[in-house]
Amino acid sequence: MVCRMFRLETEVDRTRRDLLRSRLLDTNTEASPTLRALRGTPAGRESPLHVWATGPDGALAGGLVGHTWTTWLHVTHLWVDTPHRGTGLGSRLLAQAEHTATEERGCTRARLETWDFQAPDFYRRHGYEVICTIEDYPPGITEYTLTKRLASGDA
């Protein structure tokens, strides 16, 4: 007999979060031959990918934070300090991340998310295509998910 009585809690619990993540990973691995084949291999692990730009004084001028997983580059953050915007620094950061992802990590695709007031046009100019639009996330803002096919020598 299955008990149908549950106590639902809304507290933040990192231990349970980690347990849930582990159990979901196990469930997904069991259900997917592709994920099963990746489990335990270097390609099955996320690897951080960071690109930094500093000025002559060592101050941070811009940077890109992301990771690679399987054959994908995921750009999480790309930022350029105001005095350096419009100089091509953002393009150089993105190109370096794409180059590292393709040439050193074997990535063939990239993905990222950006808001309407941030940089969707910047990414489109660099070959990214909008594959998802979420309006009012958060209210009054549109979020875009973009992807790009990468090839050796693109960056």
Side-chain angles (χ1 to χ4, degrees):
M1 173 185 246
V2 176
C3 177
R4 301 275 184 223
M5 295 182 64
F6 300 98
R7 183 177 75 225
L8 302 180
E9 304 170 12
T10 59
E11 68 189 54
V12 173
D13 185 327
R14 289 182 176 91
T15 301
R16 287 183 187 169
R17 177 204 61 199
D18 293 346
L19 176 61
L20 183 135
R21 185 178 187 279
S22 174
R23 288 185 178 174
L24 179 60
L25 179 64
D26 290 344
T27 300
N28 290 344
T29 300
E30 184 179 322
S32 168
T34 301
L35 291 177
R36 200 166 35 255
L38 285 170
R39 188 106 191 238
T41 69
R45 290 187 291 277
E46 289 182 4
S47 296
L49 196 157
H50 298 177
V51 182
W52 305 108
T54 56
D57 61 355
L60 183 64
L64 180 147
V65 173
H67 66 270
T68 57
W69 179 65
T70 66
T71 59
W72 282 82
L73 163 64
H74 187 167
V75 177
T76 308
H77 306 293
L78 173 59
W79 174 82
V80 174
D81 198 10
T82 303
H84 307 291
R85 293 183 186 158
T87 66
L89 181 56
S91 297
R92 291 175 55 200
L93 291 164
L94 185 60
Q96 181 62 53
E98 291 175 356
H99 176 79
T100 300
T102 57
E103 299 301 321
E104 297 178 20
R105 303 188 185 184
C107 291
T108 59
R109 304 281 305 256
R111 67 167 286 183
L112 56 89
E113 295 82 28
T114 191
W115 284 324
D116 55 5
F117 65 88
Q118 289 177 319
D121 292 335
F122 168 83
Y123 293 114
R124 284 186 190 108
R125 285 193 306 273
H126 288 84
Y128 286 77
E129 297 178 35
V130 174
I131 61 159
C132 177
T133 303
I134 304 172
E135 295 179 7
D136 283 333
Y137 184 74
I141 296 174
T142 299
E143 181 181 86
Y144 299 98
T145 300
L146 297 96
T147 62
K148 177 181 177 177
R149 287 196 180 278
L150 303 174
S152 182
D154 269 4

